[in-house]
C-alpha cells in the first residue's frame, strides 16, 4: 500500500500555487485533524463529539468568509452567500461525517471544495461588478454515511422529502441514542426550512480506480447504480453450546452464516452483469462463548448498474431463505430498508461540466457512480451536477483513502467554474 502521508513536498515544490490553493490545502489539513486516527484516517460518525467539533469549525469558516450559517431540524448545515437577495440558491456540498476508521476525503473533500468554490465564485462576481441570477449556498448534509444511524444519506433524504423528519429524528444508534438527542448534544440543529434550490453541484472522490487507471483527472457522473439494502433478522433459540445435542439446536448464527454465503454467491454467479453484494453489519445475541445464539441481525447491501438484474438477485436471495431456515432450524425475517434506482443525472449538467473542464484544460470522462451520494437524492428535486476526482488505488471507507493534492485543487477549480456558471442560470432549461 502506498504512503499515507499527504505530499507536502509536492506542495512546497510547486511554484505556481495560487494563494487560495494554499488555503484550500491548509483548510483540508485542519479539517482532517478532527477525529484523526493513528492510521491516517478519521473517525467522526454522525453527531459524535468529533462531528460536532468539525461542524463548529466549519461554522466559523463560513461566517469568516461572509456566509450566514443556518441549520434545519435534522442537522443539515447551510452556509448562505446571498448576493442576489430574494433569488433562489445554487446549492453545493457533500457531508463531513465519516465511517468508523474512515478516510479523510470521503465527503469532507466535497464540503470543503464547495465552500472554497462558493466563496471564489462570489468573489469573481464581485470582481466583475456583476450580479448573478442566483445566490450560492454550501451544505454539509447530516449523516450521509449511515454508519451510526441508518439509513445513509439521511439529511438529504429528509431535505428532498424521501424520509420523514420525525422518523429520522427518532432513529436510534446501537446504544439507543436518538438522532434528536445526538443532534441536541452537538448543538447543530435549528428550524431553517432550507434554501429554495435552483441547481445542485457536488464533488466527491471516485472511491474506485477507473480515473487513476486511465490517467484522467475528472469523472463526470451521468448516472447512478441501483442499490437495495435489507435488514434481516435470524431467530433461533438460546441454548448451551456444549450440552445441547446438535439435532436440538436452533442456531441463529449458523443460519446467519449460511445467509452471508448466499449473499456472496449471488455476486459470484453474476458473471455477465456487475453485481456487488455484502453483508456488512452483524449483531449477535447474546454473543457469549458458551451460548448458541438466539438472534442475529444483519445488514445486506446489493448493488448493480442493471436494476432488473438487481431485482432478480434480490429474488434469488429471497428464494434461498426457506432452505436456510430449514437447514439451521431458524426463522428469517427480511425487510427492505433503503434503496435507489439506476437513474441519470441531467445530460445538460454533464455537458456544462465537460465544457468547464475543457476550459480549464482538465481531462475528463463520463462514468456512473457506484456509491450513493447526497446528489443521488438532490438530482430528483433540482438539476444536479456530480463530479469525481481520482482515488489512489480506489481505496475508500478505509484510513488509507488518498487523493493527490493536484487533483484536490483541480476538482475545486472545476467546481468553482461549474458553480459560477450555475449562478448565471446555466441549467434553467433542465426540467
Ligand atoms: O453508498 C452508500 O450507501 C453511502 O451512502 N455512500
Ligand atoms: Mn461520501
Ligand atoms: Mn462514504
Amino acid at each position: 500500500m502506498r504512503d499515507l502521508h499527504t505530499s507536502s513536498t509536492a506542495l512546497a515544490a510547486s511554484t505556481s500555487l495560487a494563494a487560495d490553493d494554499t488555503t484550500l490545502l491548509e483548510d483540508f489539513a485542519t479539517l482532517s485533524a478532527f477525529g484523526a486516527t493513528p492510521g491516517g484516517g478519521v473517525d467522526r460518525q454522525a453527531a459524535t463529539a468529533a462531528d460536532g467539533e468539525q461542524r463548529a469549525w466549519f461554522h466559523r469558516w463560513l461566517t469568516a468568509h461572509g456566509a450566514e450559517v443556518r441549520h434545519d431540524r435534522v442537522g443539515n448545515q447551510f452556509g448562505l452567500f446571498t448576493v442576489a437577495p430574494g433569488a433562489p440558491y445554487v446549492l453545493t456540498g457533500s457531508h463531513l461525517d465519516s465511517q468508523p476508521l474512515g478516510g479523510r476525503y470521503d465527503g469532507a473533500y466535497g464540503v470543503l471544495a464547495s465552500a472554497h468554490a462558493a466563496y471564489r465564485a462570489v468573489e469573481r462576481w464581485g470582481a466583475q461588478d456583476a450580479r448573478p441570477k442566483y445566490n450560492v449556498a454550501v451544505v454539509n448534509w447530516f449523516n450521509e454515511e449511515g454508519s451510526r444511524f441508518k439509513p445513509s444519506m439521511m439529511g438529504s433524504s429528509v431535505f428532498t422529502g424521501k424520509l420523514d423528519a420525525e422518523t429520522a429524528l427518532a432513529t436510534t444508534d446501537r446504544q439507543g441514542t436518538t438522532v434528536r438527542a445526538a443532534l441536541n448534544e452537538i448543538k447543530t440543529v435549528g428550524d431553517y426550512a432550507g434554501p429554495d434550490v435552483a441547481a445542485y453541484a457536488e464533488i466527491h472522490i471516485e472511491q474506485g480506480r477507473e480515473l487513476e487507471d486511465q490517467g484522467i483527472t475528472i469523472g463526470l457522473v451521468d448516472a447512478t447504480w441501483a442499490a437495495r439494502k435489507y435488514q434481516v433478522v435470524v431467530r433461533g433459540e438460546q441454548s448451551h453450546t456444549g450440552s445441547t445435542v446438535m439435532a436440538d439446536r436452533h442456531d441463529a448464527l449458523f443460519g446467519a452464516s449460511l445467509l452471508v454465503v448466499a449473499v456472496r454467491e449471488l455476486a459470484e454467479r453474476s458473471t455477465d452483469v456487475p453485481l456487488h453484494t455484502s453483508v456488512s453489519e452483524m449483531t449477535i445475541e447474546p454473543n457469549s462463548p458458551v451460548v448458541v445464539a438466539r438472534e442475529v441481525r444483519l445488514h445486506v447491501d446489493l448493488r448493480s448498474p442493471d436494476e432488473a438484474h438487481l431485482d432478480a438477485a434480490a429474488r434469488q436471495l429471497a428464494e434461498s431463505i426457506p432452505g436456510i431456515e430449514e437447514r439451521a432450524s431458524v426463522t428469517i425475517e427480511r425487510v427492505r430498508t433503503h434503496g435507489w434506482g439506476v437513474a441519470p443525472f441531467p445530460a445538460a449538467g454533464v455537458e456544462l461540466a465537460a465544457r468547464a473542464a475543457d476550459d480549464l484544460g482538465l481531462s475528463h470522462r463520463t462514468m456512473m457512480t457506484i456509491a450513493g451520494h447526497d446528489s443521488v437524492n438532490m438530482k430528483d428535486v433540482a438539476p444536479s451536477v456530480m463530479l469525481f476526482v481520482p482515488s489512489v488505488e480506489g481505496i475508500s471507507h478505509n484510513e488509507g483513502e488518498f487523493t493527490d493534492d493536484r487533483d484536490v485543487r483541480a476538482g475545486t477549480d472545476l467546481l468553482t467554474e461549474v458553480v459560477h456558471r450555475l449562478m448565471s442560470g446555466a441549467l434553467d432549461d433542465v426540467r
Side-chain angles (χ1 to χ4, degrees):
M1 213 195 247
R2 43 156 201 81
D3 182 1
L4 294 183
H5 297 288
T6 338
S7 163
S8 54
T9 44
L11 174 58
S14 169
T15 49
S16 61
L17 200 56
D20 51 1
D21 280 341
T22 308
T23 313
L24 172 72
L25 296 175
E26 284 172 354
D27 284 344
F28 189 69
T30 303
L31 186 52
S32 300
F34 295 105
T37 57
V42 293
D43 194 333
R44 44 189 195 213
Q45 295 182 69
T48 56
D51 189 23
E53 286 157 19
Q54 68 179 346
R55 283 167 160 258
W57 174 81
F58 192 52
H59 189 137
R60 290 195 297 277
W61 191 101
L62 289 166
T63 305
H65 288 77
E68 179 197 1
V69 177
R70 304 196 63 181
H71 297 94
D72 70 11
R73 57 189 297 223
V74 294
N76 293 319
Q77 186 178 36
F78 297 93
L80 308 170
F81 291 90
T82 305
V83 287
Y89 287 77
V90 169
L91 188 63
T92 180
S94 193
H95 61 96
L96 290 178
D97 70 307
S98 85
Q99 293 288 341
L101 287 187
R104 291 173 287 160
Y105 296 83
D106 180 355
Y109 167 57
V111 173
L112 193 64
S114 291
H116 278 259
Y119 178 71
R120 290 181 198 177
V122 167
E123 292 274 288
R124 202 191 298 175
W125 283 105
Q128 291 164 340
D129 208 16
R131 186 185 137 122
K133 182 169 183 187
Y134 298 125
N135 299 294
V136 62
V138 181
V139 60
N140 165 25
W141 297 109
F142 176 67
N143 186 30
E144 193 280 341
E145 296 290 8
S147 52
R148 181 178 176 197
F149 302 103
K150 291 192 278 283
S152 63
M153 292 141 63
M154 181 179 269
S156 58
S157 293
V158 173
F159 184 77
T160 55
K162 297 176 184 208
L163 176 66
D164 173 58
E166 280 303 318
T167 305
L169 289 166
T171 303
T172 52
D173 67 8
R174 286 181 203 87
Q175 280 68 47
T177 304
T178 60
V179 166
R180 179 180 271 112
L183 279 172
N184 285 336
E185 185 75 20
I186 62 165
K187 299 186 179 61
T188 52
V189 63
D191 59 4
Y192 181 47
D196 181 9
V197 180
Y200 179 72
E202 179 165 350
I203 193 164
H204 202 278
I205 55 167
E206 182 197 342
Q207 304 178 282
R209 57 187 314 153
E210 288 188 41
L211 292 174
E212 184 190 34
D213 286 352
Q214 294 167 18
I216 293 174
T217 305
I218 300 293
L220 307 169
V221 176
D222 58 1
T224 173
W225 277 36
R228 303 275 185 268
K229 301 185 184 184
Y230 301 88
Q231 173 76 26
V232 180
V233 185
V234 182
R235 292 192 180 87
E237 191 176 287
Q238 189 165 327
S239 61
H240 196 297
T241 51
S243 61
T244 312
V245 296
M246 296 307 288
D248 287 351
R249 294 183 188 214
H250 306 277
D251 186 341
L253 185 52
F254 177 48
S257 304
L258 294 172
L259 203 62
V260 171
V261 173
V263 166
R264 175 70 181 213
E265 285 175 350
L266 292 173
E268 289 175 352
R269 283 199 301 273
S270 181
T271 48
D272 295 339
V273 182
L275 178 70
H276 293 182
T277 67
S278 286
V279 170
S280 46
E281 185 188 39
M282 193 186 267
T283 311
I284 304 167
E285 305 289 358
N287 205 25
S288 180
V290 194
V291 182
V292 172
R294 69 170 179 275
E295 182 174 301
V296 177
R297 294 184 291 280
L298 305 138
H299 181 80
V300 177
D301 183 323
L302 312 178
R303 308 200 188 204
S304 176
D306 179 333
E307 211 165 335
H309 188 73
L310 190 60
D311 286 333
R315 272 196 306 277
Q316 285 168 32
L317 183 63
E319 284 161 14
S320 71
I321 285 177
I324 294 173
E325 287 177 317
E326 193 181 340
R327 184 167 170 203
S329 194
V330 295
T331 59
I332 298 177
E333 181 189 322
R334 189 184 65 127
V335 177
R336 182 166 147 184
T337 51
H338 193 204
W340 54 89
V342 173
F345 281 75
V350 173
E351 183 61 22
L352 177 152
R355 295 293 74 79
D358 287 341
D359 292 348
L360 294 175
L362 299 172
S363 56
H364 55 84
R365 57 157 287 191
T366 55
M367 60 198 307
M368 292 179 84
T369 177
I370 302 178
H373 299 290
D374 295 303
S375 64
V376 169
N377 283 331
M378 285 303 294
K379 73 171 177 10
D380 296 336
V381 300
S384 297
V385 178
M386 181 78 205
L387 307 170
F388 280 163
V389 289
S391 290
V392 171
E393 292 179 19
I395 295 167
S396 192
H397 285 188
N398 179 303
E399 291 171 294
E401 224 172 54
F402 185 72
T403 293
D404 192 276
D405 287 349
R406 265 173 322 192
D407 296 328
V408 165
R409 284 157 34 203
T412 309
D413 290 346
L414 177 59
L415 185 64
T416 304
E417 204 50 53
V418 167
V419 164
H420 190 266
R421 294 177 193 199
L422 290 176
M423 288 173 77
S424 63
L427 287 187
D428 280 1
D429 290 342
V430 176
R431 294 185 316 117

